[in-house]
Amino acid sequence: MTTSDRPRIGVVGTGNMGAGHVRTIRSSVPGAVLAAVSDLVPGRAAAVAGPDCLVFDRPEDLITDERVDAVIVASSDDTHETLVSACLTAGKPVLCEKPLAVNAAACRRLVTQEAALGRRLITVGFMRRFDPAYLAMASRLAGGELGRPLLVHCVHRNVSAPPFYRSEMVLTNSLTHEIDVVRWLLGEEITSVSVHTPRSSSRAPVGLADPQLVVLRTRSGVLVDVELFVNARYGYDVRCELVGELGTAELARPAVTPPDWLVRFADAYRDELIAWVSSFSGNGAGPGAWDGYVAGAVAEACVRSMHSGAPEPVDLVRRPAGPGPGPGL
Ligand code: ISE
């Protein structure tokens, strides 16, 4: 870790998400310096590097370089486990974009590796916990004015999905945001799931089940329904309404439907990075490795339900003793 008071951040993966983090670090995270970037696509890292920023062809070299104190992993999902593990081996804090890894078993390996270190280094990019509108909902729930929660209605619509998107990814990639934010809002685990697939949009690629309707049941019996529609076309539209015994709270929405998540959750991404950088001297901030594992396990139960057509239980392993989750569950 740096001896200066401005940690040097390396960003692996400079596509839309990684490039967004680069911009945010430069413009809105005063406590940090963009020290290095890396991307497997030739020229893509150099295109965002700018002055005083190192460019690495191999992400492993960025992670181990002594001029990098902490790492953001924003590369493709299938690279996350290897790169986060390398950060743990290097003893460097890492913010990994969701999902933490491509499946629950891989997430569990990272949970175990981090627990063996005895210190928290992993933060997972479930940035909605930092969104002012979600924080306002959480505050109203915690204040008691809604009473006990009974239902949560969610909508998660993307303009379009990339051509490699499969029906399972709607659950293992997109739905993980609702899984995490609902766990955080309600402060309890999801115990069973069911997935329903209506007729698909003619605008969706053939074979992609889109939209999908997911019902999550929590330990206390709260039901959460989530509409996922990743080729909605008209805009990026995320909604959430919490129904309690005494009242309801609805997620404040922008006046104009934004084109994507970088616009809709710009404040959340900024505050997530500020909290992450501030946490280097503490015990981590926001969702950690265990939250990444739980999201993966719940998403896999959803995939099982999509294929079985029946409700499926969520089976979680025992949580290892080790670094705390931060302000999560
Ligand atoms: C994407 O990867 C994100 O993380 C966005 O926040 C989410 O809304 C979108 O569905 C995902 O594909």
Side-chain angles (χ1 to χ4, degrees):
M1 183 64 76
T2 176
T3 53
S4 77
D5 59 359
R6 300 188 71 203
R8 299 162 296 181
I9 310 298
V11 179
V12 174
T14 55
N16 285 342
M17 193 67 255
H21 286 317
V22 164
R23 290 191 298 270
T24 304
I25 292 168
R26 284 200 168 117
S27 64
S28 309
V29 187
V33 172
L34 178 72
V37 290
S38 176
D39 195 286
L40 295 179
V41 174
R44 197 156 73 167
V48 301
D52 305 325
C53 179
L54 302 165
V55 179
F56 288 88
D57 292 334
R58 298 179 67 251
E60 295 81 0
D61 296 338
L62 178 148
I63 290 169
T64 56
D65 194 284
E66 62 181 12
R67 294 164 292 182
V68 174
D69 301 310
V71 181
I72 295 173
V73 172
S75 46
S76 59
D77 299 358
D78 60 338
T79 66
H80 289 187
E81 180 185 8
T82 300
L83 298 177
V84 171
S85 179
C87 292
L88 295 180
T89 301
K92 296 185 181 180
V94 51
L95 170 62
C96 181
E97 274 301 324
K98 36 61 65 184
L100 175 60
V102 292
N103 57 50
C107 292
R108 192 178 163 193
R109 288 192 288 270
L110 292 171
V111 168
T112 303
Q113 184 182 354
E114 182 190 56
L117 295 175
R119 59 190 280 234
R120 177 175 168 181
L121 288 176
I122 295 173
T123 296
V124 182
F126 289 124
M127 79 292 170
R128 294 189 187 181
R129 297 188 186 199
F130 295 91
D131 176 58
Y134 274 106
L135 285 165
M137 284 185 77
S139 174
R140 291 189 60 192
L141 181 59
E145 68 180 272
L146 306 180
R148 292 189 314 162
L150 304 174
L151 297 167
V152 185
H153 305 301
C154 303
V155 166
H156 183 162
R157 297 175 182 153
N158 291 6
V159 171
S160 62
F164 60 79
Y165 229 67
R166 296 291 174 268
S167 301
E168 290 79 359
M169 290 184 71
V170 175
L171 304 167
T172 61
N173 185 289
S174 296
L175 176 67
T176 54
H177 279 299
E178 273 78 21
I179 294 170
D180 181 74
V181 82
V182 160
R183 288 180 63 238
W184 171 75
L185 274 173
L186 302 177
E188 63 173 323
E189 293 300 356
I190 295 162
T191 55
S192 66
V193 303
S194 63
V195 175
H196 310 271
T197 51
R199 74 174 179 178
S200 294
S201 167
S202 61
R203 301 295 186 89
V206 174
L208 178 66
D210 187 33
Q212 298 184 27
L213 188 64
V214 179
V215 179
L216 311 171
R217 176 181 290 272
T218 72
R219 188 172 306 286
S220 71
V222 177
L223 282 186
V224 180
D225 58 83
V226 186
E227 175 212 317
L228 294 133
F229 188 8
V230 296
N231 288 283
R233 294 288 189 237
Y234 70 92
Y236 182 75
D237 194 356
V238 170
R239 308 181 190 185
C240 183
E241 180 187 21
L242 198 155
V243 180
E245 288 174 321
L246 303 179
T248 66
E250 190 162 4
L251 191 71
R253 291 159 55 201
V256 176
T257 303
D260 61 27
W261 49 89
L262 291 174
V263 174
R264 166 61 185 79
F265 290 111
D267 290 348
Y269 285 117
R270 177 200 63 218
D271 294 347
E272 173 192 50
L273 285 185
I274 290 171
W276 177 59
V277 169
S278 303
S279 75
F280 294 164
S281 55
N283 182 35
W290 177 256
D291 301 297
Y293 159 71
V294 171
V298 173
E300 283 182 6
C302 289
V303 171
R304 289 195 297 272
S305 177
M306 180 172 70
H307 292 306
S308 71
E312 295 285 345
V314 175
D315 301 317
L316 298 178
V317 299
R318 176 182 295 277
R319 183 174 186 170
L329 286 180

